[in-house]
Amino acid sequence: MDAANGTSIGASGSASDSCGGVLPELISTSSGKTAKDIHDTLTSQQVEIVLTAHPSKVNRRALLDRHRRIQYLLTEADELRSNFKGNPTKFEQELLDDALKREIWLMWQSD
């Protein structure tokens, strides 16, 4: 029951953008389509279900990727400071610092 005007609303609704509102309008207009044409078109439709990840899973994956990137950058910084490569140049250190800041900032911005 529609409380606004006291009329009964069927399962398909009667709003202008619902099936219950569009179909009667389509049949009554001068579209040149009969009720049978519309019925045949609707009953021959094929629907395919597409499953996608829930937004929380997408966010979780993004955070895990950020963690991996930060781990990689920290490992790079350790290797630069290790005995194998000597001390990093100021440029190399700034590149790593900027990359770390960027990854941490992006992690804080994600939900």
Side-chain angles (χ1 to χ4, degrees):
M1 179 70 77
D2 183 3
N5 63 18
T7 60
S8 178
I9 298 177
S12 61
S14 62
S16 62
D17 62 346
S18 70
C19 289
V22 170
L23 293 177
E25 178 70 22
L26 187 59
I27 292 169
S28 69
T29 62
S30 59
S31 67
K33 302 292 182 192
T34 65
K36 181 174 178 359
D37 292 335
I38 295 168
H39 176 269
D40 291 345
T41 300
L42 289 175
T43 57
S44 66
Q45 298 295 306
Q46 293 182 357
V47 176
E48 294 183 24
I49 297 174
V50 177
L51 301 175
T52 60
H54 188 276
S56 64
K57 281 199 174 260
V58 173
N59 287 338
R60 181 176 176 273
R61 183 179 192 113
L63 283 175
L64 289 173
D65 289 343
R66 296 257 177 255
H67 281 266
R68 281 196 260 322
R69 179 78 177 136
I70 289 170
Q71 179 183 3
Y72 171 79
L73 291 169
L74 290 173
T75 301
E76 284 291 308
D78 286 344
E79 287 178 5
L80 276 175
R81 287 189 295 263
S82 72
N83 292 332
F84 301 113
K85 294 186 179 178
N87 292 328
T89 65
K90 185 169 176 60
F91 178 74
E92 290 172 322
Q93 188 63 50
E94 285 178 3
L95 281 177
L96 281 171
D97 289 347
D98 289 345
L100 277 169
K101 288 175 188 175
R102 183 174 45 255
E103 291 299 326
I104 292 168
W105 182 85
L106 287 168
M107 190 183 319
W108 275 102
Q109 297 305 312
S110 59
D111 291 335

